[in-house]
C-alpha cells in the first residue's frame, strides 16, 4: 500500500473516531429513550362550576431526537405517553338552585403528547429548558356527565407547556425533572379540563 493510500485511510479512520467520540460525549445529539414516574392532578371548570381532584401517581415512557445548536443551546423533539389515574368530580346546578355532584365524573386514563424542548447548557452537565407542544387524553367519563354535557367521545385534544431541567449522569444518560400543564376544552360545550403534572425521568441517548 502506498504512503498516500495509508495517509488517506488513516485520515478517514481518525475522522470517524472523532465523530463517534463527539457523539458519545454529548447526550444532546441523536435519538433517546426513557422512562419515568409522575404525579398528576386534574381540574374541571365551566362558567358556573369548578372541581379539582387530588394528585395521583403514574408512569411514563418517552423518546425522541436531540440536537445541539451553537453557543450552548440544545433542542429536543419529544414524544411521551403518560399513564394516569387522576380523577375529578363533576358538579352542576338545577333550576331550583340545588346542586348535584357526581363523584369521579372524569378520570384520565392516559395522555400522549408531542413537544419541543428548548434548553441551554448552564454547565456541560446541567440543562434547564422550556417545553411547548400538543397533547391528547383518553378519559373515562361517567354516563350522567356525558348526558348532561352532551359528550359522545372520550378523547380530548389540547396544548401543553412546561419547564424542566436535565442533568447528565454519564456520557449517554440523563436524569430529568419536569412540570407540565395541559388544557383541553370542550368543543360543543363551554368547559375546560386542566392537568398539572410533576415528573421524574431517566433517558438513555444512543
Amino acid at each position: 500500500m502506498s504512503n498516500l493510500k495509508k495517509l488517506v485511510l488513516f485520515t478517514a479512520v481518525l475522522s470517524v473516531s472523532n465523530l463517534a467520540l463527539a457523539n458519545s460525549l454529548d447526550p444532546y445529539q441523536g435519538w433517546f429513550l426513557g422512562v419515568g414516574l409522575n404525579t398528576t392532578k386534574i381540574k374541571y371548570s365551566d362558567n358556573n362550576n369548578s372541581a379539582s381532584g387530588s394528585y395521583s401517581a403514574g408512569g411514563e415512557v418517552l423518546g425522541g431526537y436531540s440536537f445541539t445548536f451553537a453557543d450552548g443551546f440544545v433542542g429536543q423533539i419529544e414524544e411521551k405517553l403518560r399513564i394516569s389515574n387522576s380523577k375529578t368530580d363533576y358538579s352542576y346546578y338545577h333550576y331550583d338552585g340545588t346542586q348535584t355532584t357526581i363523584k369521579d365524573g372524569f378520570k384520565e386514563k392516559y395522555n400522549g403528547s408531542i413537544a419541543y424542548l428548548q434548553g441551554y447548557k448552564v454547565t456541560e452537565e446541567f440543562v434547564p429548558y422550556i417545553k411547548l407542544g400538543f397533547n391528547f387524553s383518553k378519559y373515562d367519563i361517567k354516563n350522567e356527565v356525558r348526558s348532561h354535557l352532551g359528550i359522545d367521545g372520550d378523547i380530548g385534544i389540547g396544548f401543553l407547556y412546561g419547564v424542566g431541567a436535565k442533568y447528565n449522569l454519564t456520557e449517554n444518560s440523563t436524569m430529568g425533572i419536569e412540570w407540565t400543564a395541559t388544557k383541553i376544552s370542550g368543543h360543543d360545550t363551554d368547559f375546560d379540563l386542566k392537568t398539572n403534572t410533576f415528573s421524574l425521568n431517566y433517558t438513555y441517548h444512543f
Side-chain angles (χ1 to χ4, degrees):
M1 181 181 293
S2 66
N3 291 334
L4 179 58
K5 289 182 178 179
K6 291 180 180 179
L7 180 60
V8 171
L9 179 62
F10 174 77
T11 303
V13 171
L14 182 62
S15 298
V16 171
S17 300
N18 287 338
L19 179 60
L21 180 61
N23 285 337
S24 67
L25 292 176
D26 188 356
Y28 299 102
Q29 289 281 2
W31 299 98
F32 66 90
L33 287 173
V35 295
L37 299 173
N38 63 69
T39 179
T40 300
K41 182 177 182 179
I42 186 172
K43 179 180 180 180
Y44 169 87
S45 63
D46 59 30
N47 291 331
N48 301 309
N49 308 286
S50 65
S52 182
S54 57
Y55 280 98
S56 62
E60 60 189 37
V61 292
L62 61 148
Y65 192 84
S66 303
F67 38 89
T68 298
F69 302 109
D71 302 322
F73 288 96
V74 298
Q76 286 187 339
I77 297 175
E78 178 198 85
E79 293 182 345
K80 179 183 287 189
L81 179 65
R82 173 172 57 81
I83 307 301
S84 176
N85 191 38
S86 185
K87 307 171 185 177
T88 186
D89 298 340
Y90 171 70
S91 299
Y92 64 92
Y93 286 93
H94 300 272
Y95 291 110
D96 60 4
T98 58
Q99 185 182 34
T100 295
T101 297
I102 303 171
K103 183 70 173 176
D104 298 336
F106 289 93
K107 175 184 176 182
E108 186 184 50
K109 300 180 72 174
Y110 60 81
N111 173 277
S113 64
I114 181 168
Y116 176 73
L117 287 65
Q118 179 61 63
Y120 180 75
K121 290 183 178 180
V122 176
T123 68
E124 285 300 315
E125 293 81 19
F126 180 66
V127 179
Y129 63 86
I130 59 173
K131 181 176 185 178
L132 295 171
F134 298 94
N135 76 106
F136 71 90
S137 289
K138 166 80 171 179
Y139 292 99
D140 184 3
I141 307 172
K142 291 192 173 179
N143 290 332
E144 189 175 351
V145 178
R146 289 182 179 276
S147 177
H148 190 258
L149 290 176
I151 299 174
D152 293 324
D154 51 12
I155 294 179
I157 300 174
F159 64 90
L160 68 87
Y161 57 92
V163 295
K166 296 179 181 290
Y167 187 84
N168 298 356
L169 297 177
T170 68
E171 295 174 352
N172 297 100
S173 63
T174 60
M175 183 68 71
I177 186 170
E178 181 180 271
W179 166 82
T180 54
T182 68
K183 179 180 179 181
I184 293 175
S185 299
H187 297 290
D188 300 324
T189 54
D190 188 14
F191 73 90
D192 294 325
L193 289 170
K194 301 178 181 179
T195 63
N196 280 287
T197 301
F198 295 91
S199 61
L200 181 69
N201 57 66
Y202 169 85
T203 54
Y204 182 82
H205 301 257
F206 299 94

